[in-house]
Structure formats: structure tokens, C-alpha cells
């Protein structure tokens, strides 16, 4: 079973999250308040799940997700965001649906490898589609990724399939 790291700026909330997870039979190995601490802890672990606020004082959940070693997933808890899934990052909105939150963490903890991790060729399609969007629409990488996500959610297609369509549309 994977290690669980909780990173939350409010200690009481971090302790409540740990209590909720441990009541459900999951083990929390570390609690911290900074993204840099998460990255440091993760270097000593083979795999894990990070549960954190969408924004910590030193970095965002997205930055944490990008800099974690392979076989790590991030569940970011956001007051203002929407539920979304990208790469190894899952955003859940607050207030949490307790059962949905526990189910999500259980799936991630029990999976053999990074549940949300993409294969290299899939990541390449997504990266190429973002470059095309950035060049054709004069937008940032973040805006291109959001566009891909929105199209994926709107059409019900996987992100990689939307990326392939964009590559085909612009290279024909």
C-alpha cells in the first residue's frame, strides 16, 4: 500500500484529514505544511499519494505534482476550483463529499502504479497539442492545458484523444 502524505497549512485540518483516513483503515505516514517538505519526503519513498491544499505558502498543488517522482499522485483540495483531473493531479472541491474523497484516496493508494500517470506517448501527444494551441491561438501553456481539459470534459473524450484530434486538425 502506498504512503499518504498530508500537506495542509492549517494543522487542525491536516489532523482531521488524517483522522478521517485512518478511521477508514488508511495509514498517513507524514503531515507537513509546505510543498518543499512534500518533495523532500517523497524523495525517500518509492510511491505515494499526496493530499494537500490547492495552494500552500510556498507552492501550488500543480507545482508539487509536476515535481514529484514517478508513482505519486496528488489530491488537491480547493475552495474555489472545479473537480478536474490532469496528469497525476486530481482537484476536489470543498466542502468534501466524505465518501467520494475516501473512495478516490483508496483507489489511488491501492493501485500498483501512479493511477493518473500517463504513458510517455500519451504525454507526448498532449504536449504537442499544447504547443500547437499555444502557437495558433497565442496562448500560454496553462491556457492550452485548460482548453484541452474543457474539450475533454465537454466531449466526454480522454484528454489524449482530444490532443490527437487537435494535432490531426492542425497538421492536415
Amino acid at each position: 500500500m502506498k504512503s499518504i502524505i498530508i500537506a495542509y497549512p492549517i494543522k487542525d485540518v491536516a489532523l482531521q484529514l488524517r483522522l478521517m483516513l485512518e478511521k477508514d483503515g488508511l495509514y498517513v505516514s507524514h503531515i507537513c505544511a509546505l510543498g518543499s517538505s512534500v518533495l523532500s519526503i517523497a524523495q525517500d519513498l518509492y510511491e505515494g499519494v499526496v493530499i494537500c491544499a490547492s495552494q500552500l505558502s510556498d507552492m501550488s498543488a500543480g507545482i508539487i505534482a509536476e515535481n514529484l517522482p514517478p508513482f505519486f499522485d496528488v489530491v488537491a483540495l480547493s475552495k474555489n476550483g472545479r473537480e478536474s483531473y490532469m496528469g497525476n493531479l486530481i482537484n476536489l472541491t470543498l466542502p468534501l463529499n466524505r465518501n467520494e474523497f475516501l473512495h478516490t484516496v483508496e483507489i489511488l493508494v491501492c493501485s500498483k502504479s501512479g493511477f493518473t500517470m500517463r504513458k510517455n506517448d500519451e504525454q507526448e501527444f498532449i504536449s504537442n497539442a499544447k504547443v500547437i494551441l499555444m502557437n495558433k491561438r497565442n496562448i500560454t501553456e496553462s491556457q492550452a492545458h485548460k482548453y484541452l481539459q474543457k474539450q475533454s470534459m465537454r466531449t466526454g473524450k480522454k484528454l489524449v484523444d482530444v490532443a490527437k484530434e487537435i494535432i490531426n486538425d492542425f497538421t492536415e
Side-chain angles (χ1 to χ4, degrees):
M1 192 177 290
K2 295 180 184 177
S3 300
I4 298 175
I5 303 168
I6 296 176
Y8 219 85
I10 303 166
K11 185 178 180 179
D12 288 341
V13 174
L15 294 173
Q16 289 172 358
L17 287 168
R18 179 178 72 184
L19 182 63
M20 182 189 325
L21 292 164
E22 289 182 346
K23 278 186 178 179
D24 200 52
L26 299 169
Y27 172 70
V28 176
S29 63
H30 298 84
I31 294 179
C32 55
L34 298 173
S36 56
S37 298
V38 170
L39 297 176
S40 176
I41 292 165
Q43 295 305 317
D44 296 330
L45 301 172
Y46 174 70
E47 58 186 1
V49 176
V50 176
I51 299 167
C52 64
S54 61
Q55 183 65 51
L56 298 172
S57 63
D58 61 342
M59 66 184 74
S60 69
I63 300 291
I64 293 169
E66 288 176 6
N67 289 289
L68 282 169
F71 310 117
F72 275 84
D73 293 302
V74 177
V75 177
L77 309 177
S78 171
K79 292 178 186 175
N80 306 328
R82 292 187 182 137
E83 282 190 19
S84 64
Y85 310 90
M86 69 178 215
N88 63 335
L89 174 64
I90 297 172
N91 285 299
L92 297 178
T93 57
L94 296 171
L96 285 176
N97 174 316
R98 183 183 187 282
N99 292 334
E100 182 181 330
F101 170 69
L102 290 172
H103 181 71
T104 300
V105 174
E106 285 173 7
I107 288 172
L108 295 173
V109 166
C110 294
S111 66
K112 288 283 185 202
S113 63
F115 179 74
T116 54
M117 190 184 318
R118 291 192 182 97
K119 296 176 187 151
N120 284 342
D121 61 334
E122 289 180 347
Q123 188 58 49
E124 189 174 330
F125 283 119
I126 292 166
S127 295
N128 289 341
K130 285 195 275 189
V131 168
I132 289 170
L133 289 169
M134 290 164 55
N135 291 333
K136 297 291 184 183
R137 295 179 176 221
N138 198 25
I139 58 177
T140 67
E141 189 268 341
S142 177
Q143 290 170 321
H145 191 83
K146 285 179 184 175
Y147 176 83
L148 288 171
Q149 282 182 307
K150 285 181 184 177
Q151 289 298 102
S152 173
M153 287 187 251
R154 186 181 66 74
T155 61
K157 296 178 181 176
K158 293 170 88 177
L159 197 67
V160 69
D161 293 332
V162 172
K164 287 177 182 178
E165 289 176 359
I166 288 170
I167 291 167
N168 289 337
D169 289 347
F170 284 102
T171 56
E172 288 180 343

